[in-house]
Amino acid sequence: QVQLVESGGGLVQAGGSLRLSCAASGSTFSSYIMAWFRQTPGKERELIATISARGDDTYYADSVKGRFTISRDNAKNTMYLQMNSLKPEDTARYYCAADPGYSGSGYDSWGRGTQVTVSS
């Protein structure tokens, strides 16, 4: 497994931007499929973006498409989430997760999350 630590959350006004980072250690980061999830109290965890191991394939949930950009720097063992045009409904705790990519593995490494609060 890989150890993950998120950073970059905070309080921002609607329409503003934040950049989240996910620093990885302990394993070969460049071999993992990576993702960002978010969760608010009382709601199910939502997958919002994924990126392939090489960074050449991405996926976005409809709720963030066109506003958020996922990226990674394998040389720095870090993944990012650039969040623009933030809305109050983006308020959540954001988690990064890693999938080793073999059949049936799933996201088996998780960070502790970073809180994003968007004020109206």
Side-chain angles (χ1 to χ4, degrees), residues 26-100:
S27 189
T28 308
F29 175 73
S30 60
S31 67
Y32 284 81
I33 300 165
M34 298 296 295
W36 287 99
F37 290 79
R38 67 185 181 187
Q39 188 169 25
T40 55
K43 292 187 177 181
E44 291 191 1
R45 186 173 54 199
E46 177 188 13
L47 172 65
I48 58 171
T50 69
I51 188 166
S52 61
R54 294 188 300 178
D56 55 355
D57 189 24
T58 57
Y59 158 84
Y60 296 95
D62 288 343
S63 57
V64 306
K65 195 176 296 182
R67 301 187 298 122
F68 291 10
T69 303
I70 189 171
S71 62
R72 65 191 296 164
D73 185 337
N74 286 343
K76 295 183 178 179
N77 288 352
T78 304
M79 177 180 65
Y80 305 96
L81 186 68
Q82 178 66 44
M83 305 187 296
N84 298 329
S85 302
L86 283 161
K87 305 175 181 180
E89 51 263 43
D90 293 319
T91 295
R93 191 162 186 87
Y94 285 70
Y95 298 87
C96 63
D99 178 349

